[in-house]
């Protein structure tokens, strides 16, 4: 018997498709079904490395986690990682096929259909239920020909469709109606239900609108999902978390919001710490004097370093570091920026033979190449790290980068006088024998290629303790007053739940929200229409 299928499509990007897929994956797992997510084509800079070293969209890895299975490349056979407004790095079956212009990719889409069918067929052999996700909107009429991700994929899988709209952004009834009416009749017939997402207020006020949209389209509304804060990994830079500023807390950490920021899910764990205010900033005027600045991963290191200079953020960061007023961590592309030189002999980042100075804070040279390193890895600190307050244990992470970074003993420093220059050393030995990670001798600057670094609980606790020591804080709650003066205080909570426990609680919370908001009897009826 073929797997049962149901597909989630949206009226627009960021309407809630990924979260609804994750919710249904968890619900079907809770109800005893072996379930897997599937998205034929994803466009996102947040990606994930599978156990066998293949690269897929982060959203599909999150959805697989919700379904209690390991992510595989079959769940996302095509991943597009934008490198500019007109082109993307194209990843087919988990491996880089090249940097293509949008029109070149569009012309080649029909060639990918056999690969998509094969990936989906393998999932059908292994699972009882497959929850498919579309991309953007199926009503993008300029893309309907040769569609492989929305109604084209629904046809390939012979899957019924739920259409979700975001009421919080306004115009939800118009967007539902317009989306349905712009579809071809045969595609329109695949939509078996509509879902309204992110509703605030009294549901009774919505009821007249629900009746009218059902009468006009002849499609039932199968649920209204209330606005609720659920903390799961985000797919791309449309994420609302990048705009949050948060309330004042013991520690202020700024992640620089680079134009091509990638894998910012690295920092979600920091946002969950009660001691930390985590904010993403892209303007000098909003930088302030945080306790820690993080340069994140990026899909285009050299272009984003140029932007960092043009907007004045590089100068501001260098001044703060020179005065020993902040700590600075670079991850992946951010690590490459911290070095002395970036060289691009093959034109991976731009024009072949390109070369530019780095920020000059670490004695490192990065040479880009066509080879992309993709691996999950185990590492250990070879020395006690000052940045992470003496941590020297093991930790896990993963690599996704083009280019290799090495320590250079002799270099020209652009931003420091020779008498004030500080030495640095490699800090991490990886399980395959390679070295990674560089730390300045004063513990103020650290860089590494490893994504997922902060998911290692003990290492992150060391970072927090180190930052707290620099602020000369101790105690318990940060609100005690003594002689009329506020005393910032901190005490580590040794009973705090782990990252894994936290994520499991979020998946269950999401499943509970959706289960109580949707007509699950109707959902199962729709599901039974497929795979019988």
């Amino acid at each position: 018997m073929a797997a049962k299928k149901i597909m989630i499509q949206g009226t627009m990007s960021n309407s809630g498709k990924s979260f609804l897929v994750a919710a249904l994956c968890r619900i079907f797992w809770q109800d005893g079904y072996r379930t897997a997510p599937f998205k034929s084509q994803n466009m996102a800079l947040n990606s994930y490395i599978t156990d066998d070293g293949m690269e897929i969209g982060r959203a599909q890895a999150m959805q697989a986690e919700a379904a209690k299975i390991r992510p595989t490349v079959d769940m996302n056979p095509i991943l597009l990682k934008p490198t500019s407004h007109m082109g993307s790095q194209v990843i087919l079956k988990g491996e880089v096929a090249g940097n293509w212009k949008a029109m070149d990719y569009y012309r080649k889409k029909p060639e990918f259909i056999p690969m998509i069918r094969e990936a989906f067929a393998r999932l059908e052999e292994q699972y009882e239920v497959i929850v498919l996700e579309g991309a953007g909107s199926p009503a993008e009429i300029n893309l309907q020909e040769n569609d492989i991700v929305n109604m084209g994929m629904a046809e390939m899988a012979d899957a019924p469709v739920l259409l979700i709209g975001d009421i919080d952004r306004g115009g939800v009834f118009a967007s539902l109606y317009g989306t349905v009416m712009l579809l071809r009749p045969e595609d329109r017939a695949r939509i078996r239900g509509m879902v309204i997402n992110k509703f605030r207020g009294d549901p009774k006020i919505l009821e007249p609108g629900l009746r009218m949209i059902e009468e006009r389209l002849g499609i039932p509304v199968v649920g209204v999902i209330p606005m609720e804060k659920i903390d799961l990994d985000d797919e791309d830079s449309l994420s609302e978390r990048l705009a949050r500023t948060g309330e004042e807390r013991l520690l202020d950490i700024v992640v620089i919001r680079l134009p091509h920021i990638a894998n910012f899910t690295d920092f979600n764990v920091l946002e969950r710490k009660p001691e930390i205010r985590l904010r993403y900033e892209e303007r000098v005027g909003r930088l302030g004097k945080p306790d820690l600045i993080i340069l994140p991963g990026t899909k285009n290191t050299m272009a984003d370093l140029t932007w960092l200079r043009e907007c004045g953020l590089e100068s501001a960061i260098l001044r703060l570091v020179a005065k020993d007023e902040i700590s600075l961590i670079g991850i992946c592309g951010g690590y490459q920026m911290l070095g002395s030189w970036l060289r691009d002999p093959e034109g991976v980042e731009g024009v072949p033979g390109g070369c530019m100075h780095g920020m000059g804070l670490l004695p490192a040279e990065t040479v880009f190449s066509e080879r992309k390193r993709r691996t999950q890895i185990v590492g250990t600190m070879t020395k006690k790290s000052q940045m992470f307050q003496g941590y020297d244990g093991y930790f896990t992470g993963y690599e996704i980068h083009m280019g290799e970074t090495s320590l250079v003993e002799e270099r020209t420093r652009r931003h420091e006088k020779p008498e004030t220059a500080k030495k640095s050393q490699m800090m991490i030995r990886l399980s395959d024998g390679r070295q990674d990670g560089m730390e300045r001798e004063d513990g103020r600057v650290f860089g590494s290629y490893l994504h997922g670094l902060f998911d290692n609980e003990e290492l992150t606790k060391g970072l927090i303790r180190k930052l707290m020591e620099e602020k000369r804080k101790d105690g318990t709650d940060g609100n005690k007053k003594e002689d009329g003066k506020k005393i910032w205080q901190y005490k580590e909570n040794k009973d705090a739940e782990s990252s894994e426990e936290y994520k499991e609680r979020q998946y269950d919370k999401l499943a509970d929200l959706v289960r109580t908001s949707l007509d699950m009897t109707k959902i199962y009826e729709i599901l039974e229409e497929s795979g019988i």
Side-chain angles (χ1 to χ4, degrees):
M1 180 184 293
K4 296 177 174 64
K5 287 98 54 175
I6 191 167
M7 187 172 195
I8 309 302
Q9 297 186 20
T11 59
M12 64 184 76
S13 295
N14 208 34
S15 57
K17 296 185 295 292
S18 296
F19 280 10
L20 183 53
V21 170
L24 291 176
C25 282
R26 177 51 63 103
I27 288 171
F28 293 145
W29 172 81
Q30 289 173 340
D31 292 350
Y33 291 93
R34 297 192 310 276
T35 306
F38 179 84
K39 188 169 185 175
S40 57
Q41 171 198 291
N42 199 347
M43 178 177 281
L45 289 176
N46 281 352
S47 59
Y48 177 86
I49 299 301
T50 63
D51 292 343
D52 56 354
M54 299 293 104
E55 188 173 4
I56 64 172
R58 185 80 189 190
Q60 281 62 65
M62 178 269 290
Q63 292 157 357
E65 196 170 58
K68 296 278 194 173
I69 58 176
R70 296 298 299 166
T72 70
V73 73
D74 286 335
M75 297 170 189
N76 178 212
I78 303 175
L79 175 62
L80 307 177
K81 305 185 77 171
T83 55
S84 68
H85 294 303
M86 297 295 291
S88 295
Q89 182 183 79
V90 178
I91 297 168
L92 303 178
K93 294 192 293 187
E95 300 190 81
V96 176
N99 290 340
W100 296 357
K101 294 181 179 178
M103 187 55 69
D104 293 336
Y105 174 78
Y106 182 78
R107 293 192 188 101
K108 287 178 176 286
K109 283 203 298 183
E111 300 175 17
F112 305 142
I113 292 176
M115 177 186 68
I116 292 170
R117 288 185 182 276
E118 290 169 6
F120 190 79
R122 284 190 290 269
L123 291 181
E124 282 195 294
E125 293 173 358
Q126 301 173 62
Y127 297 98
E128 297 172 286
V129 176
I130 301 175
V131 187
L132 296 86
E133 180 182 346
S137 166
E140 293 166 349
I141 55 179
N142 58 313
L143 300 176
Q144 284 180 346
E145 185 180 4
N146 299 327
D147 172 50
I148 59 174
V149 66
N150 285 307
M151 285 300 176
M153 186 63 233
E155 181 179 357
M156 279 189 265
D158 193 19
V161 174
L162 294 181
L163 181 65
I164 185 171
D166 178 0
I167 195 171
D168 192 52
R169 296 164 77 175
V172 71
F173 293 117
S175 61
L176 287 169
Y177 184 84
T179 298
V180 173
M181 296 308 295
L182 281 171
L183 297 176
R184 299 173 301 181
E186 60 269 31
D187 294 333
R188 201 178 303 158
R190 288 194 178 276
I191 300 179
R192 307 295 293 129
M194 297 178 290
V195 177
I196 292 178
N197 191 29
K198 302 180 187 175
F199 177 70
R200 305 172 192 258
D202 188 342
K204 291 183 179 180
I205 298 175
L206 200 60
E207 287 177 2
L210 301 181
R211 290 195 298 269
M212 288 179 66
I213 196 72
E214 288 179 332
E215 290 169 0
R216 296 192 179 208
L217 293 176
I219 301 170
V221 175
V222 297
V224 177
I225 303 175
M227 176 70 80
E228 184 77 31
K229 184 178 179 180
I230 309 287
D231 187 11
L232 301 178
D233 285 349
D234 305 283
E235 185 172 40
D236 54 35
S237 58
L238 290 176
S239 169
E240 296 175 358
R241 75 172 68 240
L242 298 190
R244 297 175 193 162
T245 55
E247 61 184 16
E248 184 180 359
R249 295 185 179 178
L250 295 178
L251 294 174
D252 183 26
I253 297 180
V254 168
V255 179
I256 302 299
R257 187 174 178 177
L258 301 171
H260 299 92
I261 187 172
N263 284 70
F264 56 82
T265 51
D266 283 342
F267 317 116
N268 289 0
V269 66
L270 299 178
E271 188 176 359
R272 297 164 188 158
K273 300 296 183 184
E275 309 90 353
I276 293 173
R277 175 197 186 193
L278 186 78
R279 51 193 176 97
Y280 291 81
E281 301 293 356
E282 56 186 343
R283 298 179 183 176
V284 174
R286 295 182 58 86
L287 186 62
K289 193 172 72 174
D291 301 291
L292 172 68
I293 292 177
I294 299 176
L295 292 173
T298 165
K299 189 62 198 71
N300 198 321
T301 302
M302 296 175 81
D304 281 3
L305 180 54
T306 298
W307 170 85
L308 203 68
R309 286 174 176 154
E310 291 175 346
C311 72
L313 276 168
E314 182 194 41
S315 296
I317 293 169
L318 290 172
R319 283 195 297 271
L320 291 171
V321 172
K323 294 178 182 178
D324 289 335
E325 293 182 341
I326 64 163
S327 294
L328 178 64
I329 293 177
I331 300 294
C332 200
Y335 172 34
Q336 294 171 337
M337 292 181 187
L338 294 177
S340 302
W341 290 95
L342 297 95
R343 306 184 189 277
D344 189 15
E346 299 175 22
V348 173
E349 295 259 315
V351 179
C355 178
M356 66 187 299
H357 286 289
M359 296 176 70
L361 295 174
L362 292 176
E365 178 181 83
T366 295
V367 179
F368 294 99
S369 68
E370 293 285 353
R371 179 176 179 269
K372 188 171 192 176
R373 190 176 292 280
R374 313 177 312 268
T375 184
Q376 293 193 23
I377 201 79
V378 176
T380 185
M381 294 288 183
T382 56
K383 305 173 181 66
K384 290 185 182 296
S385 166
Q386 291 189 65
M387 178 66 77
F388 299 97
Q389 207 206 35
Y391 185 80
D392 61 354
Y394 287 89
F395 48 89
T396 60
Y398 61 98
E399 294 178 83
I400 314 174
H401 59 92
M402 303 180 82
E404 299 295 332
T405 299
S406 58
L407 182 70
V408 288
E409 297 299 334
E410 295 182 4
R411 71 233 186 252
T412 301
R413 287 185 177 268
R414 302 172 59 245
H415 305 296
E416 295 180 278
K417 296 179 181 179
E419 60 270 21
T420 62
K422 298 179 175 65
K423 295 181 180 179
S424 304
Q425 56 187 343
M426 301 299 290
M427 292 296 297
I428 300 172
R429 183 173 299 281
L430 301 175
S431 52
D432 60 7
R434 291 180 295 119
Q435 288 186 309
D436 176 71
M438 198 175 294
E439 184 174 280
R440 217 168 65 171
E441 64 178 357
D442 62 356
R444 285 281 184 181
V445 181
F446 179 92
S448 171
Y449 272 117
L450 297 189
H451 295 286
L453 198 65
F454 303 110
D455 289 328
N456 296 273
E457 297 286 339
E458 293 305 315
L459 181 142
T460 298
K461 287 178 182 177
L463 174 64
I464 292 173
R465 286 193 294 266
K466 182 258 188 184
L467 295 176
M468 294 300 301
E469 280 187 2
E470 289 182 355
K471 294 175 78 76
R472 296 181 177 86
K473 298 172 183 175
D474 58 8
T476 55
D477 63 9
N479 293 308
K480 183 180 178 182
K481 288 189 176 181
E482 187 174 292
D483 296 330
K485 295 181 180 180
K486 192 172 185 180
I487 301 175
W488 289 103
Q489 300 176 324
Y490 168 68
K491 183 177 181 180
E492 184 178 311
N493 182 4
K494 298 185 182 298
D495 297 323
E497 64 183 347
S498 68
S499 294
E500 292 303 314
E501 292 169 334
Y502 178 87
K503 287 197 290 185
E504 280 297 300
R505 184 163 58 83
Q506 295 301 307
Y507 289 132
D508 288 339
K509 182 179 177 181
L510 177 63
D512 290 345
L513 175 69
V514 171
R515 192 188 285 275
T516 56
S517 302
L518 267 56
D519 182 348
M520 289 306 301
T521 300
K522 182 63 176 177
I523 298 299
Y524 271 107
E525 288 176 1
I526 295 170
L527 193 67
E528 289 296 332
E529 293 175 8
S530 70
I532 295 178

